[in-house]
Amino acid sequence: MTHAYLRRAVTPAAALALAVTALLAPATAATAAAPRAHSTAPAPDRAVVAGLERYAHPLRTAEPGGPGDDLAAFARMTRGATIVGVGEASHGSKELFTVKDRLLRELVAREGFSAFAMEITWSASARLNAYLLSGEGDLRQIMREEFQDAYSLLDTQEFLQLFSWMREHNRTSSRPVRIVGLDFSDAGPEQYARILTWAEHNASTLVPELRRRYAALRALPGGVAARLAAYNGLPLAERKKIAEDAEAAYQLLAHAGRQDPWVLQEARVLSQMATEYAFDTTDPAQVTALSRHRDRTMAENAVWWRRQTGDRILVSAHNGHVAYESALPASYPVTMGADLRELAGREYLAVGTSLYGGDYRARTATGATGVYSTGPAAPGSNEYTLDKVRHRDFYVDLRAAGRDRAVGDWLDTARPTFVIPGRYPNDPAPPLALGRAFDVVVHLHKVRASVPLPQP
């Protein structure tokens, strides 16, 4: 699911962590709380805190539901944007997802947003949308079957609540809200079936060649976790051949006499997936290139959806993806947020989330999931200063606050910042200049670990 800020494994057998998740992927097992970066920096400048307070809007709650008057200013901040990236400082903290749920509901109601883009696969989003639009299937079963392995941190009460609200909204609304799958590390059999069925009815001469080109992918065993393990276990040469075939299949459809943009996108996503697995993860340069491929492709998928549907989209991803600048530029030089700004211009708005301290769920090197703690934020960090604002939870427009000279200088200076991946243990907080990374920041004083759904 995310990947930019994970230390990646370097063997083909660990390519799942490299190809699918990065920020969600497992790393080294540990039992103690995540280490914090310490600083001897002085207490935050009173002028900076005073300046932030002039532009800060208090949050009534991080939980969805109830009055939304406290979010009216946030809705105004998004005007002019067609794609709003809302990050998460952690992939496993409850309030980071419930506040995102709350923001989405307000943007749907106030600003006409109608799409929620996630770091999940196109296949998973297709199944979820069938449920959201028509009630097809069982939501818990869909989540359990699609959110496996590196995606398992998404199988939570928080997302069940969000998807359930979307379903209820869609029952009566003339503008339904749909999910966009930005990621592409897996594809279910239904995705190939949709492509082949279309070809049988519209370009039947292509069917034998499409079947041949997709044969190896379609032969992967059923189930997300099983397919991921099998795909990662293939020799690199075989994975490269699969990538060539998947791209050839896409080109066949792209040059067919009749075309369907949705079928083309499904084939494009399959090529994106196969390309991801064709990188040599034993080569550090190739690992960086894989990271670059993923962020760029997720941005392109979001922009494709916007142009195809006209939907205003909330893009949900780790802070490391939605930001304009990377906290780890040596390894991950260009973010999805930078690509979205390039592709969509000023129609893209980057919203980061921040936390002073709390708990999060994450995976270890063995694939086990545990609850870990971080914080309180160290003096000298971005979170330490933000938490001095008098509101417990709030959001602030950094573009406006930056016009205050003291605040502007503070925002333009890189300081230690929480980058909490989906794996444990965590790395020390890298430096990041908030004003160069985000347009808006939502700061929460304390967060709890997300709540996993019970397994049958």
Side-chain angles (χ1 to χ4, degrees):
M1 247 200 50
T2 68
H3 80 227
Y5 298 102
L6 269 190
R7 187 161 305 172
R8 296 171 177 271
V10 293
T11 65
L16 171 60
L18 299 169
V20 184
T21 62
L23 283 171
L24 259 184
T28 306
T31 56
R36 285 299 314 275
H38 295 287
S39 170
T40 58
D45 191 321
R46 291 181 180 177
V48 173
V49 175
L52 288 169
E53 287 185 343
R54 283 193 289 272
Y55 295 94
H57 299 268
L59 280 170
R60 177 182 60 83
T61 177
E63 294 292 331
D69 291 348
D70 56 326
L71 291 175
F74 180 84
R76 290 194 296 271
M77 292 172 192
T78 69
R79 289 177 187 166
T82 58
I83 302 175
V84 175
V86 181
E88 61 233 24
S90 153
H91 272 318
S93 296
K94 178 182 180 65
E95 285 75 12
L96 294 179
F97 293 105
T98 58
V99 78
K100 195 176 295 192
D101 181 346
R102 190 162 184 248
L103 295 177
L104 174 67
R105 298 187 193 195
E106 290 302 312
L107 292 179
V108 169
R110 294 175 181 269
E111 301 297 322
F113 277 63
S114 51
F116 183 76
M118 298 176 61
E119 293 180 76
I120 63 174
T121 66
W122 184 273
S123 285
S125 67
R127 290 188 68 189
L128 286 167
N129 279 325
Y131 171 80
L132 297 177
L133 296 173
S134 67
E136 178 183 329
D138 177 84
L139 178 56
R140 289 175 181 265
Q141 180 180 354
I142 294 169
M143 292 176 64
R144 182 170 62 251
E145 291 177 353
E146 295 296 335
F147 298 162
Q148 295 182 9
D149 205 281
Y151 294 99
S152 62
L153 289 180
L154 299 175
D155 193 19
T156 64
Q157 183 65 46
E158 293 76 35
F159 275 111
L160 179 70
Q161 176 179 256
L162 172 59
F163 299 150
S164 297
W165 171 81
M166 294 171 73
R167 172 61 187 145
E168 289 306 308
H169 169 86
N170 290 346
R171 288 181 192 275
T172 58
S173 175
S174 60
R175 184 190 291 270
V177 180
R178 292 179 289 177
I179 291 175
V180 184
L182 299 179
D183 214 344
F184 42 81
S185 292
D186 177 61
E190 300 86 358
Q191 188 162 339
Y192 303 99
R194 288 190 293 268
I195 294 172
L196 292 169
T197 298
W198 179 89
E200 287 168 356
H201 290 90
N202 297 278
S204 58
T205 59
L206 300 183
V207 172
E209 184 67 1
L210 289 172
R211 289 185 179 278
R212 185 177 75 82
R213 295 291 187 175
Y214 287 141
L217 286 172
R218 296 176 71 202
L220 294 172
V224 173
R227 284 193 297 268
L228 291 173
Y231 205 161
N232 280 307
L234 296 175
L236 179 60
E238 190 170 344
R239 286 183 271 131
K240 287 184 175 181
K241 179 60 169 61
I242 290 173
E244 293 174 2
D245 285 338
E247 176 62 17
Y250 167 67
Q251 292 299 331
L252 281 173
L253 291 163
H255 294 92
R258 296 184 62 184
Q259 295 179 354
D260 180 293
W262 293 90
V263 170
L264 279 179
Q265 177 64 7
E266 298 227 59
R268 185 183 296 115
V269 168
L270 292 175
S271 180
Q272 293 167 354
M273 175 184 72
T275 298
E276 181 180 45
Y277 285 91
F279 287 96
D280 181 359
T281 56
T282 65
D283 179 353
Q286 285 278 289
V287 171
T288 299
L290 187 157
S291 170
R292 182 74 196 96
H293 166 71
R294 186 164 179 269
D295 271 47
R296 178 68 183 191
T297 304
M298 288 197 298
E300 290 174 348
N301 289 341
V303 171
W304 179 89
W305 186 281
R306 163 63 190 166
R307 292 172 178 170
Q308 182 64 33
T309 66
D311 289 341
R312 295 183 74 185
I313 308 170
L314 190 157
V315 171
S316 173
H318 196 277
N319 276 354
H321 291 306
V322 305
Y324 297 118
E325 293 193 359
S326 172
L328 300 172
S331 300
Y332 309 103
V334 184
T335 64
M336 178 180 67
D339 287 324
L340 284 169
R341 174 51 62 88
E342 175 197 330
L343 295 169
R346 294 290 171 180
E347 292 186 15
Y348 175 66
L349 182 84
V351 180
T353 59
S354 168
L355 58 94
Y356 179 69
D359 298 332
Y360 64 96
R361 291 174 61 239
R363 304 178 75 219
T364 67
T366 64
T369 300
V371 174
Y372 307 97
S373 298
T374 193
S381 67
N382 282 316
E383 295 85 359
Y384 182 83
T385 299
L386 288 170
D387 209 66
K388 294 301 179 182
V389 171
R390 66 178 181 271
H391 310 301
R392 177 181 173 87
D393 299 330
F394 64 91
Y395 57 94
V396 57
D397 189 331
L398 303 184
R399 301 163 298 180
R403 291 195 286 268
D404 180 299
R405 182 170 181 178
V407 177
D409 290 344
W410 181 79
L411 289 172
D412 200 45
T413 301
R415 291 179 173 81
T417 306
F418 281 135
V419 177
I420 304 169
R423 62 96 176 95
Y424 185 87
N426 195 2
D427 293 327
L432 184 70
L434 288 183
R436 298 202 300 267
F438 305 110
D439 298 304
V440 177
V441 162
V442 178
H443 179 74
L444 304 178
H445 174 69
K446 188 76 176 288
V447 298
R448 295 167 291 173
S450 58
V451 181
L453 290 175
Q455 298 300 305

